mmCIF file of all heavy atoms in Angstrom:
data_model
loop_
_atom_site.group_PDB
_atom_site.id
_atom_site.type_symbol
_atom_site.label_atom_id
_atom_site.label_comp_id
_atom_site.label_asym_id
_atom_site.label_seq_id
_atom_site.Cartn_x
_atom_site.Cartn_y
_atom_site.Cartn_z
ATOM 1 N N ASP A 43 -16.494 3.120 -6.445
ATOM 2 C CA ASP A 43 -17.750 3.405 -5.607
ATOM 3 C C ASP A 43 -17.689 2.487 -4.367
ATOM 4 O O ASP A 43 -16.763 1.615 -4.172
ATOM 5 C CB ASP A 43 -18.978 3.180 -6.481
ATOM 6 C CG ASP A 43 -19.166 1.800 -7.008
ATOM 7 O OD1 ASP A 43 -18.526 0.858 -6.454
ATOM 8 O OD2 ASP A 43 -20.006 1.593 -7.875
ATOM 9 N N ARG A 44 -18.799 2.618 -3.618
ATOM 10 C CA ARG A 44 -18.906 1.884 -2.349
ATOM 11 C C ARG A 44 -18.822 0.313 -2.576
ATOM 12 O O ARG A 44 -18.162 -0.386 -1.821
ATOM 13 C CB ARG A 44 -20.180 2.225 -1.621
ATOM 14 C CG ARG A 44 -20.233 1.602 -0.156
ATOM 15 C CD ARG A 44 -21.590 1.845 0.487
ATOM 16 N NE ARG A 44 -21.572 0.909 1.573
ATOM 17 C CZ ARG A 44 -21.326 1.122 2.837
ATOM 18 N NH1 ARG A 44 -21.037 2.303 3.175
ATOM 19 N NH2 ARG A 44 -21.464 0.132 3.791
ATOM 20 N N ALA A 45 -19.556 -0.126 -3.589
ATOM 21 C CA ALA A 45 -19.626 -1.541 -3.838
ATOM 22 C C ALA A 45 -18.283 -2.154 -4.207
ATOM 23 O O ALA A 45 -17.844 -3.217 -3.762
ATOM 24 C CB ALA A 45 -20.596 -1.869 -4.966
ATOM 25 N N ARG A 46 -17.505 -1.359 -5.071
ATOM 26 C CA ARG A 46 -16.182 -1.770 -5.417
ATOM 27 C C ARG A 46 -15.225 -1.714 -4.190
ATOM 28 O O ARG A 46 -14.306 -2.644 -4.062
ATOM 29 C CB ARG A 46 -15.651 -0.925 -6.597
ATOM 30 C CG ARG A 46 -14.422 -1.421 -7.194
ATOM 31 C CD ARG A 46 -14.102 -0.875 -8.489
ATOM 32 N NE ARG A 46 -12.763 -1.305 -8.958
ATOM 33 C CZ ARG A 46 -12.115 -0.719 -9.998
ATOM 34 N NH1 ARG A 46 -12.698 0.199 -10.629
ATOM 35 N NH2 ARG A 46 -10.942 -1.153 -10.300
ATOM 36 N N THR A 47 -15.432 -0.795 -3.320
ATOM 37 C CA THR A 47 -14.611 -0.650 -2.179
ATOM 38 C C THR A 47 -14.839 -1.851 -1.198
ATOM 39 O O THR A 47 -13.856 -2.463 -0.711
ATOM 40 C CB THR A 47 -14.950 0.636 -1.382
ATOM 41 O OG1 THR A 47 -14.630 1.707 -2.241
ATOM 42 C CG2 THR A 47 -14.098 0.718 -0.094
ATOM 43 N N GLU A 48 -16.099 -2.182 -1.103
ATOM 44 C CA GLU A 48 -16.489 -3.356 -0.218
ATOM 45 C C GLU A 48 -15.903 -4.651 -0.752
ATOM 46 O O GLU A 48 -15.368 -5.406 -0.026
ATOM 47 C CB GLU A 48 -17.993 -3.398 -0.131
ATOM 48 C CG GLU A 48 -18.464 -4.293 1.062
ATOM 49 C CD GLU A 48 -19.926 -4.015 1.300
ATOM 50 O OE1 GLU A 48 -20.644 -3.429 0.499
ATOM 51 O OE2 GLU A 48 -20.385 -4.445 2.453
ATOM 52 N N ALA A 49 -16.014 -4.889 -2.066
ATOM 53 C CA ALA A 49 -15.377 -6.039 -2.662
ATOM 54 C C ALA A 49 -13.857 -6.069 -2.555
ATOM 55 O O ALA A 49 -13.273 -7.069 -2.300
ATOM 56 C CB ALA A 49 -15.840 -6.099 -4.180
ATOM 57 N N GLY A 50 -13.209 -4.784 -2.621
ATOM 58 C CA GLY A 50 -11.837 -4.686 -2.545
ATOM 59 C C GLY A 50 -11.314 -5.052 -1.136
ATOM 60 O O GLY A 50 -10.383 -5.766 -0.841
ATOM 61 N N ILE A 51 -12.099 -4.570 -0.040
ATOM 62 C CA ILE A 51 -11.746 -4.930 1.259
ATOM 63 C C ILE A 51 -11.952 -6.396 1.558
ATOM 64 O O ILE A 51 -11.007 -7.043 2.180
ATOM 65 C CB ILE A 51 -12.568 -4.056 2.242
ATOM 66 C CG1 ILE A 51 -12.070 -2.591 2.283
ATOM 67 C CG2 ILE A 51 -12.482 -4.637 3.736
ATOM 68 C CD1 ILE A 51 -12.903 -1.628 3.141
ATOM 69 N N ALA A 52 -12.923 -7.009 0.994
ATOM 70 C CA ALA A 52 -13.103 -8.467 1.104
ATOM 71 C C ALA A 52 -11.961 -9.191 0.486
ATOM 72 O O ALA A 52 -11.466 -10.183 1.060
ATOM 73 C CB ALA A 52 -14.476 -8.796 0.518
ATOM 74 N N ALA A 53 -11.500 -8.696 -0.723
ATOM 75 C CA ALA A 53 -10.343 -9.419 -1.353
ATOM 76 C C ALA A 53 -9.052 -9.137 -0.532
ATOM 77 O O ALA A 53 -8.297 -10.121 -0.423
ATOM 78 C CB ALA A 53 -10.225 -8.730 -2.732
ATOM 79 N N TRP A 54 -8.920 -7.999 0.043
ATOM 80 C CA TRP A 54 -7.729 -7.747 1.019
ATOM 81 C C TRP A 54 -7.762 -8.760 2.187
ATOM 82 O O TRP A 54 -6.710 -9.280 2.571
ATOM 83 C CB TRP A 54 -7.646 -6.360 1.431
ATOM 84 C CG TRP A 54 -7.358 -5.325 0.351
ATOM 85 C CD1 TRP A 54 -6.831 -5.562 -0.819
ATOM 86 C CD2 TRP A 54 -7.577 -3.926 0.444
ATOM 87 N NE1 TRP A 54 -6.697 -4.397 -1.500
ATOM 88 C CE2 TRP A 54 -7.174 -3.336 -0.861
ATOM 89 C CE3 TRP A 54 -8.189 -3.102 1.330
ATOM 90 C CZ2 TRP A 54 -7.287 -2.015 -1.142
ATOM 91 C CZ3 TRP A 54 -8.272 -1.661 0.988
ATOM 92 C CH2 TRP A 54 -7.804 -1.221 -0.135
ATOM 93 N N GLU A 55 -8.932 -8.983 2.762
ATOM 94 C CA GLU A 55 -9.107 -9.918 3.912
ATOM 95 C C GLU A 55 -8.794 -11.354 3.413
ATOM 96 O O GLU A 55 -8.222 -12.095 4.169
ATOM 97 C CB GLU A 55 -10.466 -9.757 4.481
ATOM 98 C CG GLU A 55 -10.507 -8.688 5.584
ATOM 99 C CD GLU A 55 -9.557 -8.941 6.748
ATOM 100 O OE1 GLU A 55 -9.514 -10.085 7.296
ATOM 101 O OE2 GLU A 55 -8.802 -8.022 7.121
ATOM 102 N N ARG A 56 -9.153 -11.636 2.177
ATOM 103 C CA ARG A 56 -8.929 -12.966 1.670
ATOM 104 C C ARG A 56 -7.391 -13.229 1.583
ATOM 105 O O ARG A 56 -6.850 -14.355 1.806
ATOM 106 C CB ARG A 56 -9.553 -13.269 0.290
ATOM 107 C CG ARG A 56 -11.011 -13.688 0.437
ATOM 108 C CD ARG A 56 -11.557 -14.328 -0.881
ATOM 109 N NE ARG A 56 -11.377 -13.474 -2.061
ATOM 110 C CZ ARG A 56 -12.300 -12.518 -2.325
ATOM 111 N NH1 ARG A 56 -13.320 -12.349 -1.536
ATOM 112 N NH2 ARG A 56 -12.198 -11.712 -3.303
ATOM 113 N N GLU A 57 -6.675 -12.149 1.170
ATOM 114 C CA GLU A 57 -5.239 -12.232 1.068
ATOM 115 C C GLU A 57 -4.627 -12.609 2.494
ATOM 116 O O GLU A 57 -3.773 -13.518 2.537
ATOM 117 C CB GLU A 57 -4.587 -10.947 0.563
ATOM 118 C CG GLU A 57 -4.915 -10.653 -0.848
ATOM 119 C CD GLU A 57 -3.923 -9.738 -1.545
ATOM 120 O OE1 GLU A 57 -2.807 -9.953 -1.445
ATOM 121 O OE2 GLU A 57 -4.446 -8.804 -2.225
ATOM 122 N N TRP A 58 -5.113 -11.965 3.473
ATOM 123 C CA TRP A 58 -4.650 -12.337 4.848
ATOM 124 C C TRP A 58 -4.928 -13.657 5.203
ATOM 125 O O TRP A 58 -4.066 -14.373 5.767
ATOM 126 C CB TRP A 58 -5.398 -11.377 5.852
ATOM 127 C CG TRP A 58 -4.694 -9.997 6.044
ATOM 128 C CD1 TRP A 58 -5.186 -8.799 5.541
ATOM 129 C CD2 TRP A 58 -3.461 -9.703 6.622
ATOM 130 N NE1 TRP A 58 -4.319 -7.851 5.882
ATOM 131 C CE2 TRP A 58 -3.328 -8.334 6.578
ATOM 132 C CE3 TRP A 58 -2.526 -10.524 7.307
ATOM 133 C CZ2 TRP A 58 -2.144 -7.719 7.086
ATOM 134 C CZ3 TRP A 58 -1.414 -9.848 7.839
ATOM 135 C CH2 TRP A 58 -1.266 -8.502 7.788
ATOM 136 N N GLU A 59 -6.178 -14.247 4.889
ATOM 137 C CA GLU A 59 -6.562 -15.618 5.238
ATOM 138 C C GLU A 59 -5.684 -16.576 4.468
ATOM 139 O O GLU A 59 -5.244 -17.590 5.014
ATOM 140 C CB GLU A 59 -8.009 -15.852 4.884
ATOM 141 C CG GLU A 59 -8.934 -15.056 5.667
ATOM 142 C CD GLU A 59 -8.924 -15.181 7.197
ATOM 143 O OE1 GLU A 59 -8.527 -16.358 7.657
ATOM 144 O OE2 GLU A 59 -9.161 -14.304 8.042
ATOM 145 N N GLU A 60 -5.455 -16.364 3.220
ATOM 146 C CA GLU A 60 -4.815 -17.305 2.317
ATOM 147 C C GLU A 60 -3.205 -17.187 2.415
ATOM 148 O O GLU A 60 -2.580 -18.268 2.298
ATOM 149 C CB GLU A 60 -5.156 -17.085 0.879
ATOM 150 C CG GLU A 60 -6.598 -17.534 0.526
ATOM 151 C CD GLU A 60 -7.123 -17.050 -0.770
ATOM 152 O OE1 GLU A 60 -6.330 -16.487 -1.611
ATOM 153 O OE2 GLU A 60 -8.417 -17.120 -0.881
ATOM 154 N N ARG A 61 -2.693 -16.044 2.653
ATOM 155 C CA ARG A 61 -1.219 -15.829 2.594
ATOM 156 C C ARG A 61 -0.548 -15.359 3.958
ATOM 157 O O ARG A 61 0.644 -15.448 4.010
ATOM 158 C CB ARG A 61 -0.872 -14.798 1.458
ATOM 159 C CG ARG A 61 -1.467 -15.055 0.175
ATOM 160 C CD ARG A 61 -0.657 -14.345 -0.929
ATOM 161 N NE ARG A 61 -1.165 -14.845 -2.177
ATOM 162 C CZ ARG A 61 -2.054 -14.174 -2.883
ATOM 163 N NH1 ARG A 61 -2.563 -13.014 -2.480
ATOM 164 N NH2 ARG A 61 -2.458 -14.634 -4.132
ATOM 165 N N GLY A 62 -1.415 -15.023 4.871
ATOM 166 C CA GLY A 62 -0.816 -14.682 6.129
ATOM 167 C C GLY A 62 -0.201 -13.169 6.022
ATOM 168 O O GLY A 62 0.456 -12.717 6.971
ATOM 169 N N VAL A 63 -0.358 -12.533 4.924
ATOM 170 C CA VAL A 63 0.077 -11.176 4.751
ATOM 171 C C VAL A 63 -1.043 -10.510 3.936
ATOM 172 O O VAL A 63 -1.814 -11.202 3.153
ATOM 173 C CB VAL A 63 1.480 -10.911 4.026
ATOM 174 C CG1 VAL A 63 2.554 -11.549 4.870
ATOM 175 C CG2 VAL A 63 1.431 -11.540 2.630
ATOM 176 N N GLY A 64 -1.133 -9.214 3.961
ATOM 177 C CA GLY A 64 -2.142 -8.547 3.204
ATOM 178 C C GLY A 64 -2.097 -7.024 3.480
ATOM 179 O O GLY A 64 -1.203 -6.529 4.153
ATOM 180 N N PRO A 65 -2.999 -6.265 2.821
ATOM 181 C CA PRO A 65 -3.051 -4.779 3.073
ATOM 182 C C PRO A 65 -3.694 -4.513 4.470
ATOM 183 O O PRO A 65 -4.746 -5.066 4.777
ATOM 184 C CB PRO A 65 -3.990 -4.230 1.985
ATOM 185 C CG PRO A 65 -3.915 -5.431 0.946
ATOM 186 C CD PRO A 65 -3.772 -6.677 1.771
ATOM 187 N N PHE A 66 -3.056 -3.679 5.302
ATOM 188 C CA PHE A 66 -3.553 -3.347 6.634
ATOM 189 C C PHE A 66 -4.571 -2.069 6.493
ATOM 190 O O PHE A 66 -4.276 -1.161 5.616
ATOM 191 C CB PHE A 66 -2.528 -2.795 7.486
ATOM 192 C CG PHE A 66 -1.492 -3.829 7.976
ATOM 193 C CD1 PHE A 66 -0.328 -4.058 7.352
ATOM 194 C CD2 PHE A 66 -1.684 -4.593 9.116
ATOM 195 C CE1 PHE A 66 0.517 -4.901 7.733
ATOM 196 C CE2 PHE A 66 -0.793 -5.476 9.630
ATOM 197 C CZ PHE A 66 0.423 -5.700 8.985
ATOM 198 N N ALA A 67 -5.612 -2.035 7.294
ATOM 199 C CA ALA A 67 -6.297 -0.809 7.560
ATOM 200 C C ALA A 67 -5.426 0.048 8.382
ATOM 201 O O ALA A 67 -4.831 -0.360 9.384
ATOM 202 C CB ALA A 67 -7.590 -1.096 8.309
ATOM 203 N N VAL A 68 -5.242 1.390 8.056
ATOM 204 C CA VAL A 68 -4.388 2.282 8.801
ATOM 205 C C VAL A 68 -5.224 3.222 9.574
ATOM 206 O O VAL A 68 -5.899 4.001 8.999
ATOM 207 C CB VAL A 68 -3.391 2.923 7.857
ATOM 208 C CG1 VAL A 68 -2.495 3.842 8.737
ATOM 209 C CG2 VAL A 68 -2.507 1.990 7.082
ATOM 210 N N GLU A 69 -5.098 3.231 10.904
ATOM 211 C CA GLU A 69 -5.906 4.122 11.777
ATOM 212 C C GLU A 69 -5.084 5.173 12.275
ATOM 213 O O GLU A 69 -3.949 4.864 12.878
ATOM 214 C CB GLU A 69 -6.536 3.175 12.895
ATOM 215 C CG GLU A 69 -7.743 3.675 13.532
ATOM 216 C CD GLU A 69 -8.183 2.655 14.539
ATOM 217 O OE1 GLU A 69 -8.839 1.705 14.104
ATOM 218 O OE2 GLU A 69 -7.807 2.735 15.697
ATOM 219 N N ASP A 70 -5.571 6.383 12.383
ATOM 220 C CA ASP A 70 -4.937 7.540 13.003
ATOM 221 C C ASP A 70 -5.115 7.422 14.490
ATOM 222 O O ASP A 70 -6.226 7.391 14.931
ATOM 223 C CB ASP A 70 -5.563 8.845 12.444
ATOM 224 C CG ASP A 70 -5.058 10.095 13.228
ATOM 225 O OD1 ASP A 70 -3.984 10.063 13.863
ATOM 226 O OD2 ASP A 70 -5.920 11.056 13.207
ATOM 227 N N ARG A 71 -4.002 7.220 15.284
ATOM 228 C CA ARG A 71 -4.143 6.903 16.687
ATOM 229 C C ARG A 71 -4.738 7.999 17.400
ATOM 230 O O ARG A 71 -5.478 7.872 18.434
ATOM 231 C CB ARG A 71 -2.748 6.582 17.306
ATOM 232 C CG ARG A 71 -2.353 5.167 16.794
ATOM 233 C CD ARG A 71 -0.956 4.763 17.392
ATOM 234 N NE ARG A 71 -0.934 4.660 18.854
ATOM 235 C CZ ARG A 71 0.048 4.197 19.598
ATOM 236 N NH1 ARG A 71 1.221 3.959 18.878
ATOM 237 N NH2 ARG A 71 -0.041 4.081 20.806
ATOM 238 N N GLY A 72 -4.490 9.342 16.958
ATOM 239 C CA GLY A 72 -4.990 10.538 17.662
ATOM 240 C C GLY A 72 -6.565 10.541 17.639
ATOM 241 O O GLY A 72 -7.200 10.764 18.646
ATOM 242 N N SER A 73 -7.144 10.254 16.458
ATOM 243 C CA SER A 73 -8.606 10.426 16.335
ATOM 244 C C SER A 73 -9.367 9.088 16.260
ATOM 245 O O SER A 73 -10.525 8.987 16.463
ATOM 246 C CB SER A 73 -8.877 11.181 14.970
ATOM 247 O OG SER A 73 -8.533 10.355 13.903
ATOM 248 N N GLY A 74 -8.634 7.944 16.046
ATOM 249 C CA GLY A 74 -9.242 6.746 15.903
ATOM 250 C C GLY A 74 -9.816 6.499 14.530
ATOM 251 O O GLY A 74 -10.473 5.504 14.258
ATOM 252 N N ARG A 75 -9.707 7.463 13.700
ATOM 253 C CA ARG A 75 -10.353 7.410 12.296
ATOM 254 C C ARG A 75 -9.485 6.639 11.369
ATOM 255 O O ARG A 75 -8.213 6.599 11.491
ATOM 256 C CB ARG A 75 -10.525 8.803 11.679
ATOM 257 C CG ARG A 75 -11.586 9.558 12.409
ATOM 258 C CD ARG A 75 -11.643 10.977 11.787
ATOM 259 N NE ARG A 75 -12.488 11.852 12.581
ATOM 260 C CZ ARG A 75 -13.745 12.111 12.410
ATOM 261 N NH1 ARG A 75 -14.294 11.581 11.311
ATOM 262 N NH2 ARG A 75 -14.370 12.923 13.152
ATOM 263 N N LEU A 76 -10.088 6.053 10.335
ATOM 264 C CA LEU A 76 -9.358 5.353 9.276
ATOM 265 C C LEU A 76 -8.698 6.375 8.345
ATOM 266 O O LEU A 76 -9.342 7.264 7.909
ATOM 267 C CB LEU A 76 -10.316 4.606 8.393
ATOM 268 C CG LEU A 76 -9.603 3.593 7.313
ATOM 269 C CD1 LEU A 76 -8.972 2.366 8.047
ATOM 270 C CD2 LEU A 76 -10.516 3.243 6.242
ATOM 271 N N ALA A 77 -7.297 6.342 8.283
ATOM 272 C CA ALA A 77 -6.544 7.165 7.461
ATOM 273 C C ALA A 77 -6.289 6.675 6.041
ATOM 274 O O ALA A 77 -6.086 7.411 5.102
ATOM 275 C CB ALA A 77 -5.166 7.475 8.083
#
Side-chain angles (χ1 to χ4, degrees):
D43 63 13
R44 187 189 161 100
R46 188 162 173 195
T47 299
E48 197 163 14
I51 288 176
W54 291 341
E55 273 298 312
R56 275 198 303 280
E57 294 203 46
W58 278 106
E59 296 300 331
E60 289 166 12
R61 303 201 174 97
V63 298
F66 292 94
V68 181
E69 202 174 278
D70 171 24
R71 289 178 66 173
S73 65
R75 289 176 193 265
L76 187 79

